[in-house]
Amino acid sequence: MESLTLNVAGMSCGHCVGRVEKALNEVPGVEVEKVSIGSARVSFDAGKTSPAAIAQAVVDAGYAAQPDGQVA
């Protein structure tokens, strides 16, 4: 498993956190570690998904997302 931190823009409340967490949980191979206003940290199976696909799930939920370069 690899770790990824996303910078997430457009989140302002607990409902936003819940939407982002739900979107991330629906991506195959992703385990959500922590979602807070402005960021999300996940572990993922690189054989099942990619940082770009993970960020796209957040975008599809209505927020701007960008990996912050901390893929480990």
Side-chain angles (χ1 to χ4, degrees):
M1 295 289 273
E2 297 185 42
S3 293
L4 172 69
T5 300
L6 293 170
N7 295 317
V8 183
M11 297 170 67
S12 61
C13 64
H15 177 74
C16 297
V17 170
R19 281 187 68 182
V20 169
E21 188 168 351
K22 182 178 187 281
L24 292 169
N25 277 319
E26 292 176 354
V27 179
V30 170
E31 291 180 19
V32 176
E33 294 177 12
K34 182 177 181 179
V35 178
S36 57
I37 293 173
S39 69
R41 183 150 181 87
V42 299
S43 295
F44 68 99
D45 180 341
K48 294 182 179 179
T49 192
S50 67
I54 295 167
Q56 187 62 50
V58 176
V59 170
D60 291 346
Y63 305 92
Q66 178 178 333
D68 76 354
Q70 292 186 12
V71 177

